[in-house]
Amino acid sequence: VLKIPDDITAITFVALGTSLPDTFASMTAATMDPHADASVGNVTGSNSVNVFLGLGLPWMIAAITWQVIGPSAEWNARYQQLDGLDWLGPKGFRTQAFVVEAGSLGFSVAIFSTFAVLCILLLAVRRMLFGGELGGDGVPKWISGG
């Protein structure tokens, strides 16, 4: 409908599905803890698990599947003449291996990294100005929460 590429749509839905429950857990922790330290730790742990499982688990399954099923004519047609795979041998005589081509993940990682740094900076500024990362008086709370 919005002409968003399929890979971006998929990454967005996976992120929502894995992070939304943790958002509610962090909100509860922030509400219950006077300094909100538990919620910051929860977000950090949640993101780590999402990255390690969200990337590691599918790649591990694909690598195991590749090892069990083995090489194919499709792999030969796709990778034997492709540039940048010299580590598999010379073109036309390459050893078959599980290959993950770089795609739009670089853009997603750049966006994530940018906003992660901005969030850390926001937390540091809030700590210096207001004595805490979350909560506080009305206006600063709403400005940094938006």
Side-chain angles (χ1 to χ4, degrees):
V1 174
L2 298 174
K3 297 186 181 191
I4 300 172
D6 290 341
D7 52 351
I8 300 297
T9 304
I11 289 171
T12 302
F13 279 116
V14 167
L16 281 173
T18 57
S19 296
L20 208 52
D22 295 321
T23 301
F24 292 115
S26 293
M27 183 180 73
T28 302
T31 305
M32 304 292 235
D33 186 12
H35 302 291
D37 291 338
S39 63
V40 174
N42 185 39
V43 169
T44 305
S46 168
N47 285 335
S48 299
V49 169
N50 289 344
V51 168
F52 294 131
L53 287 180
L55 291 175
L57 191 60
W59 283 6
M60 183 184 73
I61 292 169
I64 291 170
T65 303
W66 170 261
Q67 189 66 31
V68 170
I69 293 175
S72 66
E74 179 185 352
W75 190 96
N76 280 327
R78 189 172 190 173
Y79 295 115
Q80 281 294 353
Q81 300 301 321
L82 191 65
D83 292 329
L85 296 177
D86 297 332
W87 56 276
L88 291 174
K91 288 183 179 180
F93 301 100
R94 292 185 169 151
T95 304
Q96 295 186 354
F98 176 60
V99 177
V100 179
E101 292 184 60
S104 62
L105 188 60
F107 174 75
S108 298
V109 169
I111 294 295
F112 173 80
S113 299
T114 300
F115 281 99
V117 168
L118 288 174
C119 287
I120 291 170
L121 290 173
L122 177 66
L123 291 174
V125 167
R126 284 192 52 82
R127 178 175 279 188
M128 288 186 309
L129 295 178
F130 306 113
E133 289 85 8
L134 300 173
D137 293 331
V139 175
K141 177 174 63 176
W142 287 104
I143 290 173
S144 62

